[in-house]
Amino acid sequence: MYKILAIDDDPAMTELLALLLKTHSLDVHMANSGEEGIKLIREISPDVIILDLMMPGMDGWQVCAQVRAFSDVPILILSALDSPGMVASALDAGADDYLVKPVPVGVLLAHLNSLTRRPVAKKNFRNNMNIKTAPSPA
């Protein structure tokens, strides 16, 4: 089961994400501020972070920068901002993917699946499950 951390200043949004994603056997944790999100990332080592950009205090760009200072965990931006410049700036700040709200659940799941197929997410997942990989042949 993949561990997802949803960071959004709107509790209704994080609760909705948790409700929708838990029905697909995902372990969902929620944070309603950038500061709380950073703390939880260090505590739970999520496989993917879903992050809003527009938050009071520490915004999504700041969260991205801080996370990238200590982790390669995949970050999916889920934002109402859909201008190409905003998308580019979020990706430049360290995000791995970007979706615009509202997004159909199937599309969100497809993007989460894509992010968890990446090597860093697989490594984090294996570490969380204590799965050892076979050594590569010489």
Side-chain angles (χ1 to χ4, degrees), residues 15-46:
E15 289 171 16
L16 178 61
L17 283 169
L19 179 70
L20 293 171
L21 297 176
K22 285 179 180 181
T23 63
H24 294 277
S25 300
L26 295 168
D27 181 16
V28 183
H29 298 260
M30 301 173 290
N32 294 119
S33 71
E35 296 85 359
E36 181 186 3
I38 294 290
K39 181 180 174 202
L40 272 175
I41 293 163
R42 292 182 185 277
E43 289 175 9
I44 68 169
S45 299

Side-chain angles (χ1 to χ4, degrees), residues 78-95:
L78 185 58
S79 177
L81 303 173
D82 69 349
S83 75
M86 289 297 169
V87 174
S89 71
L91 295 173
D92 287 343

Side-chain angles (χ1 to χ4, degrees), residues 51-54 59-68 73-100:
L51 177 63
D52 184 28
L53 289 177
M54 301 300 292
D59 64 28
W61 290 277
Q62 293 168 314
V63 172
C64 267
Q66 283 202 20
V67 170
R68 287 297 170 244
V73 63
I75 299 173
L76 184 153
I77 300 296
L78 185 58
S79 177
L81 303 173
D82 69 349
S83 75
M86 289 297 169
V87 174
S89 71
L91 295 173
D92 287 343
D96 298 285
D97 202 353
Y98 195 107
L99 290 172
V100 177

